Amino acid sequence: NAGVTQTPKFRVLKTGQSMTLLCAQDMNHEYMYWYRQDPGMGLRLIHYSVGEGTTAKGEVPDGYNVSRLKKQNFLLGLESAAPSQTSVYFCASSYMGDYNEQFFGPGTRLTVL
Amino acid sequence: KNEVEQSPQNLTAQEGEFITINCSYSVGISALHWLQQHPGGGIVSLFMLSSGKKKHGRLIATINIQEKHSSLHITASHPRDSAVYICAVGPGGATNKLIFGTGTLLAVQP
């Protein structure tokens, strides 16, 4: 099993460009999450999904959109990238319900110039 | 004030030393997680606990629910233990969301 995978691993964008980050999991998890990690700050939740076709806002959702059309995939979109979105993005997934371990992808390092 | 505070922020140890990393939180929780992140690497779960103590190899995690405090201990530390250790708490609820500390950067020197 591949676990949680993320595409791409690295990306450089210019301000105003758009892109989509793909997260895929093969563990049949119901829940999926997108986080950003910035120096000196803990991981912050951008958006999450508790099942196929559902999404919800997290702590820092502005400037991002998400979609969960298939259970195994969770897409994070930046419609008009800004330098403040320079960060490392992590996807995670877990089984349904409380008290479950989250499994993380390897991360995507995004730089917006 | 952050809901999850870790100390120390940075820690340097000599190989073989006993290491303790602390985590305090201010919210009610259903579970506390310890995670490890190697430089430039992904994040892996080490422990998930809601009471008492858990041990995996040289790693030990304890939690005191009344004190809202957890510790991660590493016995006989090794340079390969060098990483960022992250404490996260799950406040409970059907979404399984977590609140993360800022991490402790550990460097173990040979």
Side-chain angles (χ1 to χ4, degrees), chain A residues 31 33 37 94 98 100-102, chain B residues 30-31 37 45 92 94-96:
Chain A
Y31 292 2
Y33 311 85
Q37 184 179 45
S94 78
D98 194 14
N100 278 303
E101 178 184 351
Q102 289 191 15
Chain B
S30 63
Q37 182 177 24
S45 178
T95 60
N96 198 32

Side-chain angles (χ1 to χ4, degrees), chain A residues 14-88:
Chain A
K14 295 181 179 178
T15 297
Q17 288 185 318
S18 64
M19 77 163 294
T20 300
L21 282 69
L22 170 64
C23 175
Q25 51 93 7
D26 61 2
M27 295 173 282
N28 201 35
H29 286 166
E30 287 292 335
Y31 292 2
M32 297 187 76
Y33 311 85
W34 274 109
Y35 297 98
R36 60 178 289 171
Q37 184 179 45
D38 301 294
M41 305 186 76
L43 286 155
R44 292 183 292 168
L45 182 64
I46 304 171
H47 286 278
Y48 64 100
S49 168
V50 296
E52 180 179 314
T54 75
T55 63
K57 293 180 180 180
E59 182 185 354
V60 287
D62 294 342
Y64 305 94
N65 56 75
V66 288
S67 64
R68 183 109 181 260
L69 299 179
K70 293 183 178 181
K71 186 177 182 178
Q72 63 266 35
N73 295 336
F74 195 28
L75 278 64
L76 178 70
L78 286 73
E79 288 188 349
S80 180
S84 61
Q85 294 177 305
T86 294
S87 188
V88 181

Side-chain angles (χ1 to χ4, degrees), chain B residues 16-77:
Chain B
E17 286 185 357
F18 180 86
I19 290 164
T20 296
I21 300 170
N22 296 300
C23 176
S24 297
Y25 54 92
S26 58
V27 296
I29 67 168
S30 63
L32 183 141
H33 302 247
W34 282 103
L35 310 163
Q36 181 190 56
Q37 182 177 24
H38 280 103
I43 299 167
V44 295
S45 178
L46 297 175
F47 294 101
M48 183 174 65
L49 65 167
S50 59
S51 65
K53 176 179 171 178
K54 286 190 175 181
K55 183 174 188 290
H56 290 157
R58 296 180 294 105
L59 302 179
I60 303 165
T62 64
I63 188 169
N64 183 319
I65 296 293
Q66 288 73 31
E67 298 284 326
K68 294 188 174 178
H69 181 269
S70 175
S71 294
L72 176 69
H73 305 287
I74 305 175
T75 62
S77 60

